[in-house]
Amino acid sequence: MAEASSSPDTETPPQKEENPADLPRDSTNDVRTEGEEAATSDPSMYRYIQTDLFTSEIYKVEIRNLPKFIGFNDLKKFLAKHSLNPHKIKLFGRQTFAFVTFRNEEERDKAMRLVHGVQWKGQVLSVRLAKPKADPILRKRKQEEGEGAAGGQPPPKRAEGGEGEETLSVQIANVVTPLWRVPYEEQLRRKEQEVVGVLQRLAKEIGSTNKALLPWLFAQKGKYNKMCCPLEAIRPSPTQTEYRNKCEFLISVGADGEDKTVGFRLGKYKGGSCAVVGPVDTCHVSAAAKRVVNAFQEFIRRTPYTVYSPETYEGHWKQLTVRTTRTKQAMAVAFFNPQKLEEKELDALKSSMKKYFSEGDGRDSGVTSLYFVREGQRTSPSPEDLPCELVAGDGCIHEELLGLKFRISPHSFFQVNTGAAEVLYSAVGEWAQLDQDSTVLDVCCGTGTIGISLAKRVKKVIGVELCQEAVEDAKVNAKLNGLSNVEFHCGKAEDVFPNILNALVSSNITAIVDPPRAGLHTKVILAIRRAEHVKRLVYVACNAKAAMNNFIDLCRAPSNRVHGAPFRPVRAMAVDLFPQTMHVEMLLLLERVDYNSQDQQEETRSC
């Protein structure tokens, strides 16, 4: 997507700072049917809004009269230019309005003052307070009641296992592993085609944002099926089933009517569903994890505590996270809402958990690390990682990857498919073109897996990671593997990374980034662009479409906002870390454009 500044906008500030009380007040959330309108007029639809709990819905505005054809990232950049940091942004296709929520009343009111009356792309924006969204389950229930009353009888229900209805095991497989019936070769073909589409779009974006690269780009598109660089054959996962080493299970009423069921949600809450189905027949969950789930489900059914209801905010048991390793270790993390239970009751519960998994029926489940997490109602928009209380066993588990040992704590990131991660990291090592004079910057390093796997080939590895627990693991992992040329820094990449870059004097620096699905913060991308001694960048994208803006900013022409020579994509590859789903990891190698290189200029002219 081309940057908005490529065609200068005229942004006229309001003539005066309006008081939010003087601005237009509330609006409806979207266009509703008559039945929905009736449902949302019921105050009970909003009972999730409580004064002591956080939900950004209570700090919500509607921005009207938006320019046509703008997207999510356009609006996000526009708000950022006005020093606004929204919590959520919701656009509706080609509509010229959007709903934006904020973390507190001050930020919401600031947005109303700064944006109301501003001109953007020829449109004068209007901002007003917006009503919160109705509770999806209550709204659906209200609609069904209304439909039943209108017809004189309640809506019909399909009988469980009735003719034409799929079994619960098939339904849940369709939800969590939607490609489970598709032959694996066809799965790989589809995923590779998705990456082809990403690279073709990136070629168009580079053409729009960096005219100097057009001769080179024209040649690339001619050679590589309209893509900006060659795409190597997709690398499959070594195992296609039971590959996940981490699963997060919800605890709720089962879709079969069984109370206190541990499994995956059959639908989305916003679709009006809270029912779960156990993982016994799912193909991506390991047998070891299923044993832990069965044992834990049996334990909670013996306790007097009910499952937590997101509809009523009552109940206790919420979630079970299970991590397993090749070394036959298993970690179970139980999330529990204490409500108003006294400390002695919680201590008794933890004691019974310990006894059950150490001496009782759960002792053969394979759990070697058992944690208890108190997860009450959210009282802030961005809560830090909740503290984990070790109930029994070791404080961490260990995994082996590429002949190296790694410690994993409850909150630490580790790729969910260990075998495929080895394939991915081996490719990263091949593409990085490292030698004993190289310095590797490992951004969003998690437990240090990528940097540590490359450390013996290079002079130095510097890792950056947000999660303190993961950084501690990374430091331990470096020692476990006898490495002294590795260091790790904790903090937001956008805060820590620029300072690290400025302190480096090496001329042989390769950056390797493996960010979350949303991609890297713009500040990190701009810092990489400014640091012209970073000549090579390996980008590991778990969602290439979401990372598109990062790719574009890395390749766009220098400007007042973007300093430093651009990068250009050199090669790409897909690696299948998530068989039976449409998710795929993409590896993209980018190299710095050297305008001073006569050879490159001649090559560009010859193209």
Side-chain angles (χ1 to χ4, degrees):
M1 184 184 299
E3 187 186 26
S5 60
S6 61
S7 53
D9 302 331
T10 304
E11 295 177 6
T12 307
Q15 297 301 308
K16 64 184 182 70
E17 274 200 355
E18 292 92 340
N19 185 321
D22 299 329
L23 297 174
R25 296 307 292 173
D26 59 18
S27 69
T28 55
N29 270 353
D30 47 51
V31 179
R32 300 188 181 96
T33 66
E34 185 177 342
E36 288 175 315
E37 194 68 54
T40 53
S41 65
D42 184 345
S44 67
M45 297 297 103
Y46 306 97
R47 71 184 183 191
Y48 71 93
I49 299 173
Q50 301 179 27
T51 55
D52 57 340
L53 306 180
F54 172 78
T55 168
S56 62
E57 287 291 316
I58 60 180
Y59 308 120
K60 185 175 185 177
V61 299
E62 179 186 10
I63 303 178
R64 286 185 171 270
N65 207 31
L66 291 170
K68 291 182 178 180
F69 310 118
I70 67 154
F72 172 87
N73 286 297
D74 297 309
L75 183 53
K76 187 175 180 180
K77 285 182 179 179
F78 171 79
L79 294 173
K81 286 181 180 179
H82 290 79
S83 302
L84 297 172
N85 185 24
H87 186 59
K88 292 180 183 177
I89 296 174
K90 181 74 172 179
L91 289 130
F92 299 87
R94 294 181 178 273
Q95 300 292 334
T96 57
F97 64 91
F99 292 101
V100 183
T101 67
F102 295 89
R103 290 171 171 78
N104 53 52
E105 184 177 359
E106 181 182 357
E107 289 186 25
R108 181 201 66 191
D109 291 350
K110 177 183 175 184
M112 296 183 75
R113 288 195 304 269
L114 296 180
V115 177
H116 185 70
V118 167
Q119 187 174 5
W120 184 26
K121 295 183 183 291
Q123 299 293 107
V124 178
L125 305 183
S126 169
V127 185
R128 63 180 68 202
L129 295 177
K131 288 181 180 177
K133 199 173 186 178
D135 185 296
I137 283 184
L138 295 177
R139 183 170 64 182
K140 183 178 180 182
R141 189 172 299 156
K142 195 78 174 180
Q143 285 177 244
E144 289 176 348
E145 289 174 358
E147 290 166 2
Q153 57 183 5
K157 293 183 179 179
R158 291 188 297 178
E160 175 69 28
E163 185 178 352
E165 183 178 2
E166 294 179 320
T167 64
L168 289 176
S169 61
V170 171
Q171 291 181 51
I172 199 63
N174 290 337
V175 171
V176 297
T177 51
L179 300 185
W180 68 283
R181 299 192 208 202
V182 179
Y184 191 54
E185 288 302 316
E186 173 61 16
Q187 292 185 34
L188 295 178
R189 189 195 68 79
R190 293 184 188 181
K191 295 181 182 189
E192 196 165 59
Q193 281 304 116
E194 181 177 329
V195 175
V196 167
V198 169
L199 296 175
Q200 288 175 339
R201 183 189 163 196
L202 180 56
K204 292 179 181 178
E205 297 290 355
I206 294 174
S208 299
T209 58
N210 196 334
K211 304 299 183 185
L213 290 179
L214 281 175
W216 166 84
L217 187 63
F218 181 78
Q220 295 289 95
K221 291 170 70 174
K223 292 178 188 176
Y224 305 118
N225 186 27
K226 300 182 181 179
M227 295 185 290
C228 54
C229 65
L231 174 63
E232 299 186 8
I234 186 171
R235 298 197 184 180
S237 171
T239 55
Q240 289 86 54
T241 59
E242 298 191 17
Y243 61 84
R244 286 194 69 95
N245 57 43
K246 178 184 178 183
C247 291
E248 296 176 344
F249 303 99
L250 290 175
I251 305 174
S252 187
V253 177
D256 57 0
E258 284 284 340
D259 194 14
K260 300 182 184 178
T261 298
V262 182
F264 298 113
R265 186 175 280 171
L266 196 55
K268 295 182 178 180
Y269 184 85
K270 66 180 181 181
S273 172
C274 280
V276 301
V277 177
V280 63
D281 293 321
T282 54
C283 62
H284 66 323
V285 180
S286 68
K290 290 175 183 178
R291 280 196 299 273
V292 175
V293 167
N294 289 338
F296 195 82
Q297 182 172 270
E298 179 60 30
F299 169 74
I300 65 172
R301 286 179 175 177
R302 295 182 186 184
T303 71
Y305 304 111
T306 59
V307 298
Y308 175 78
S309 168
E311 178 186 343
T312 64
Y313 306 105
E314 297 170 347
H316 302 277
W317 295 111
K318 299 186 75 174
Q319 179 181 311
L320 176 70
T321 297
V322 179
R323 305 182 85 148
T324 55
T325 68
R326 293 170 165 178
T327 59
K328 307 301 181 184
Q329 294 179 319
M331 176 184 289
V333 184
F335 292 79
F336 185 87
N337 189 321
Q339 301 290 6
K340 296 181 180 179
L341 294 179
E342 295 183 4
E343 196 64 34
K344 62 181 180 180
E345 294 177 274
L346 294 173
D347 289 340
L349 174 60
K350 288 183 285 184
S351 295
S352 66
M353 281 179 64
K354 180 177 181 178
K355 185 175 181 180
Y356 177 83
F357 283 97
S358 302
E359 308 168 19
D361 293 343
R363 65 185 180 279
D364 296 326
S365 64
V367 172
T368 58
S369 178
L370 180 62
Y371 279 94
F372 181 84
V373 178
R374 308 178 194 211
E375 186 180 27
Q377 300 292 353
R378 293 175 64 191
T379 56
S380 67
S382 303
E384 295 295 326
D385 285 335
L386 296 164
C388 296
E389 302 173 50
L390 182 63
V391 173
D394 301 321
C396 56
I397 56 178
H398 293 83
E399 183 59 292
E400 294 178 351
L401 183 145
L402 294 173
L404 301 165
K405 296 179 181 178
F406 293 93
R407 187 183 85 171
I408 305 172
S409 295
H411 289 309
S412 298
F413 171 77
F414 196 90
Q415 289 285 6
V416 299
N417 184 338
T418 307
E422 290 182 316
V423 175
L424 177 69
Y425 296 161
S426 296
V428 170
E430 293 169 16
W431 288 18
Q433 301 174 39
L434 304 171
D435 56 41
Q436 289 299 316
D437 291 325
S438 300
T439 296
V440 170
L441 298 175
D442 187 2
V443 185
C444 304
C445 64
T447 53
T449 45
I450 295 180
I452 288 173
S453 70
L454 302 175
K456 291 182 179 179
R457 308 186 203 177
V458 302
K459 181 179 180 181
K460 190 176 187 62
V461 173
I462 302 173
V464 179
E465 169 60 39
L466 175 62
C467 176
Q468 180 66 50
E469 204 171 80
V471 170
E472 294 304 317
D473 282 345
K475 292 177 179 178
V476 170
N477 292 334
K479 291 181 180 178
L480 279 176
N481 294 286
L483 301 171
S484 58
N485 62 334
V486 182
E487 64 182 56
F488 296 98
H489 301 265
C490 183
K492 291 182 179 179
E494 58 266 30
D495 296 335
V496 177
F497 192 60
N499 294 330
I500 292 174
L501 278 174
N502 292 336
L504 284 174
V505 294
S506 171
S507 59
N508 187 356
I509 301 175
T510 296
I512 298 171
V513 300
D514 185 8
R517 288 191 179 277
L520 285 172
H521 194 284
T522 303
K523 287 183 180 178
V524 181
I525 297 296
L526 297 182
I528 293 173
R529 283 290 301 264
R530 286 194 301 270
E532 297 206 39
H533 49 315
V534 177
K535 302 297 186 184
R536 189 176 295 108
L537 172 69
V538 181
Y539 197 118
V540 182
C542 58
N543 186 335
K545 291 180 180 177
M548 181 59 69
N549 282 328
N550 282 177
F551 300 155
I552 295 169
D553 281 345
L554 286 166
C555 300
R556 70 169 62 253
S559 65
N560 290 335
R561 184 179 76 92
V562 182
H563 300 278
F567 288 82
R568 62 180 182 180
V570 175
R571 60 200 294 201
M573 180 174 65
V575 181
D576 186 21
L577 266 73
F578 313 100
Q580 321 307 332
T581 78
M582 273 306 297
H583 298 299
V584 64
E585 208 91 358
M586 188 182 92
L587 201 59
L588 185 65
L589 174 64
L590 301 109
E591 292 182 349
R592 181 83 66 169
V593 175
D594 186 357
Y595 290 124
N596 297 319
S597 168
Q598 185 65 31
D599 292 340
Q600 182 170 297
Q601 290 174 8
E602 290 175 359
E603 177 188 343
T604 300
R605 283 196 295 268
S606 68
C607 293

